[in-house]
Amino acid sequence: MISKKLQDAINAQINRELYSEYLYISMQAWFANNNLDGFANWMDAQGKEERFHAMKFFNFLIERGGKVELKAIDKPVVDFKSPLKAFTMALEHEQFITKNINDLMDIAIKEKDHASRGLLQWFVDEQVEEEATADKIVSRLKMIGDNAHALFMIDSELGQRVFTPPTTTE
Ligand code: OFO
């Protein structure tokens, strides 16, 4: 059975993952409104991935005999000004999520909850990828400046992204 402290911390993280989905679909809407359909597609896939993260915590909590308590989701930003500003915000958000995952891991280590440590290690590794991906797109957007042709090339590349949930969940 999971401790009350970890249960509460995981419920807070479920809320942050659902907020992440909300933030990315808000970016999806902004990109779609600005006719950058490839960027919008990338955000759609990212939103689905965040929902997957939320449900991974959700299912774990139930399996461990814990109680899922959903909370209100904050309103996300709706106007992102530019692709670079949107992706800079995405990167900062992922850095914030990494910090939260590390804090959760600290609690699991302190409590010697090995099952939670296993789950959280998956998220620690996932965050390395999440930050690296956002960071790479930020760098490329900085590089291209206001070159519209290059922007459309990135748009076309991001339009290829498809989210496929991992088949192994450990
Ligand atoms: Fe973007 O990794 Fe979950 O929140």
Side-chain angles (χ1 to χ4, degrees), residues 4 9 12 16 35 53 97 113 116-117 121 125 153 158:
K4 174 82 169 65
R16 285 190 282 268
N35 300 313
H53 291 167
I97 292 294
D113 184 328
S116 295
R117 286 175 62 178
Q121 188 58 51
D125 297 341
M153 279 177 68
L158 299 187

Side-chain angles (χ1 to χ4, degrees), residues 13 16-17 20-21 24 46 49-50 53-54 93-94 97 123 126-127 130:
Q13 187 60 27
R16 285 190 282 268
E17 299 292 348
S20 302
E21 178 187 16
Y24 291 126
Q46 187 66 22
E49 188 165 340
E50 299 303 351
H53 291 167
H93 181 69
E94 290 306 331
I97 292 294
F123 278 97
E126 176 73 4
Q127 282 310 117
E130 293 273 88

Side-chain angles (χ1 to χ4, degrees), residues 6 18 30 38-39 44 53 81 87 99 117 122 139 157 169:
L6 256 178
L18 291 173
W30 185 84
F39 280 91
D44 175 45
H53 291 167
K81 314 284 185 210
F87 269 91
K99 185 193 172 305
R117 286 175 62 178
W122 184 91
S139 301
E157 190 187 317
T169 52

Side-chain angles (χ1 to χ4, degrees), residues 12 49 57 62 68 80 84 88 104 122 141 161 164 169:
E49 188 165 340
F57 279 118
I62 290 174
V68 170
F80 297 95
L84 177 58
T88 301
L104 273 165
W122 184 91
L141 288 170
R161 182 178 180 192
T164 317
T169 52

Side-chain angles (χ1 to χ4, degrees), residues 18-153:
L18 291 173
Y19 173 78
S20 302
E21 178 187 16
Y22 232 39
L23 176 65
Y24 291 126
I25 63 172
S26 185
M27 290 182 183
Q28 177 187 353
W30 185 84
F31 279 116
N33 282 333
N34 285 283
N35 300 313
L36 289 165
D37 295 345
F39 280 91
N41 171 72
W42 193 95
M43 288 298 172
D44 175 45
Q46 187 66 22
K48 287 178 177 140
E49 188 165 340
E50 299 303 351
R51 162 88 181 184
F52 172 79
H53 291 167
M55 295 313 289
K56 200 170 165 79
F57 279 118
F58 179 110
N59 292 327
F60 177 78
L61 209 43
I62 290 174
E63 264 175 17
R64 296 286 312 282
K67 192 170 163 223
V68 170
E69 281 179 30
L70 298 180
K71 303 169 200 312
I73 303 170
D74 289 343
K75 181 181 190 295
V77 176
V78 292
D79 187 3
F80 297 95
K81 314 284 185 210
S82 72
L84 177 58
K85 286 211 167 84
F87 269 91
T88 301
M89 191 179 288
L91 175 59
E92 286 167 0
H93 181 69
E94 290 306 331
Q95 289 164 341
F96 167 71
I97 292 294
T98 300
K99 185 193 172 305
N100 293 127
I101 297 289
N102 289 341
D103 289 347
L104 273 165
M105 182 62 113
D106 287 345
I107 301 173
I109 290 170
K110 203 163 171 199
E111 293 191 358
K112 299 190 168 73
D113 184 328
H114 300 294
S116 295
R117 286 175 62 178
L119 173 84
L120 290 163
Q121 188 58 51
W122 184 91
F123 278 97
V124 167
D125 297 341
E126 176 73 4
Q127 282 310 117
V128 172
E129 192 186 312
E130 293 273 88
E131 283 193 34
T133 306
D135 188 49
K136 189 172 186 174
I137 299 173
V138 166
S139 301
R140 290 169 69 190
L141 288 170
K142 278 184 184 158
M143 238 182 277
I144 66 166
D146 53 9
N147 181 330
H149 180 68
L151 183 67
F152 285 119
M153 279 177 68

